[in-house]
Every structure is written in structure tokens, then in C-alpha cells.
Amino acid sequence: MGGYGTGSTARPALTESRRADVVVIGGGFTGLSAALALAERGIDTVLLEANAIGWGASGRNGGQVIPGLKYDPETLRQRYGQERGRRWSNSPDAMPMWCSN
């Protein structure tokens, strides 16, 4: 059950009862960040992950933020005109060209 990158190894399964101040479920970006922040503050923390660390959405996202596409096509046409709004909503690759005009 190794993860990505070098040095990834399987982690031990939880086979017995374990008490902790906080249990974090999920080893994605948010779960790891929360568990680390708690542990750094001296809080007894257990992180539970059913798969490899980062296995879910945190390991699959493209890390992209495309705020120009959060608007629906009608809003784009109203804001930028019929032709430019149509092109923008159909072709995200052309967005830098439109932003410079």
C-alpha cells in the first residue's frame, strides 16, 4: 500500500484499541494538515486513512484555480458581449488573450 514518491511505505493497520485526544479521519491535504497542527501543539492525535496517504481527491486534483470559469455562459456573455462570452465559455485556453484586452 505504498504511496507516490520515494520512501513511501505501508503504514501499520489499526489492530487494537487506541485512545487519543483527537482522531483525524482521512490522510489528504486537510487531514494531514489538521493532524500535524494538532500534534505540533502537543495534542495526542491519531490519523486514520484507509488507503495510501493522499490516495483520494488530494492525490488526484490538478491543483488548478480557474476563477474565470466559475461563471455560467450567460453571465460571461452579459459581461463580455455575445462573441467574447461565447468563446470564453467554450475555450479556457484563450482566457489570457481576453484578459489582456
Side-chain angles (χ1 to χ4, degrees):
M1 182 185 302
Y4 300 104
T6 59
S8 296
T9 60
R11 303 293 182 240
L14 183 63
T15 59
E16 56 191 42
S17 294
R18 169 75 164 84
R19 295 185 70 78
D21 295 326
V22 176
V23 175
V24 176
I25 300 175
F29 289 131
T30 303
L32 290 172
S33 178
L36 179 61
L38 291 163
E40 287 177 339
R41 288 165 177 76
I43 298 170
D44 185 23
T45 306
V46 171
L47 173 72
L48 298 178
E49 170 57 59
N51 295 289
I53 296 297
W55 180 86
S58 291
R60 291 185 178 82
N61 79 64
Q64 300 171 5
V65 176
I66 308 173
L69 298 181
K70 69 182 176 183
Y71 303 109
D72 61 39
E74 181 58 31
T75 301
L76 292 173
R77 286 191 297 273
Q78 289 173 355
R79 190 173 285 183
Y80 301 106
Q82 290 297 318
E83 180 57 26
R84 183 178 270 181
R86 182 189 61 74
R87 288 185 299 156
W88 197 333
S89 64
N90 291 335
S91 178
D93 294 333
M95 190 169 24
M97 174 188 68
W98 297 323
C99 290
S100 65
N101 291 340

